Amino acid sequence: MALSRLAQEFADEIAGHDWLDAPYRWDQAGHRREHDRKAAGTQTLTPEETLNLLRNVVAVATQVLRHRDPNLDVYEFAEACGLDTRTHSGRSRDGGYVAAIRWESDGVACAPGRRRGQ
């Protein structure tokens, strides 16, 4: 199933960003350090920290998108954002991507900004 236009645009934007130094800049995560006219910062995240940051960004966007569109494929969206959704052992569909979403008891994604049962 193809992503909605909105989901694809979010994914394109997220995938196009340089998350390695995102916590240390406030001028565009979409910059490219190799073309940066500013002095490149020396602070960068480790690969694991960068992955965690990206996963959290994707989870936040997924919460909103899945609430708006109950047919959104969480894994397809994460992959479009540049994440590998396989488990550490290489099996497909790491359950962490679904577990990162706040769900109501009826299986519907919670509304943005709300917790389960609110």
Side-chain angles (χ1 to χ4, degrees), residues 18 21-29 31 33 36 38-41:
D18 179 356
D21 64 353
Y24 310 110
R25 311 176 54 110
W26 180 243
D27 65 344
Q28 275 193 35
H31 74 99
R33 276 178 275 124
D36 206 344
K38 291 183 178 184

Side-chain angles (χ1 to χ4, degrees), residues 5-37:
R5 178 179 173 183
L6 180 61
Q8 187 61 59
E9 288 175 352
F10 268 110
D12 291 344
E13 187 66 17
I14 291 167
H17 281 251
D18 179 356
W19 297 102
L20 190 63
D21 64 353
Y24 310 110
R25 311 176 54 110
W26 180 243
D27 65 344
Q28 275 193 35
H31 74 99
R32 292 283 177 234
R33 276 178 275 124
E34 63 270 17
H35 302 293
D36 206 344
R37 291 187 181 155

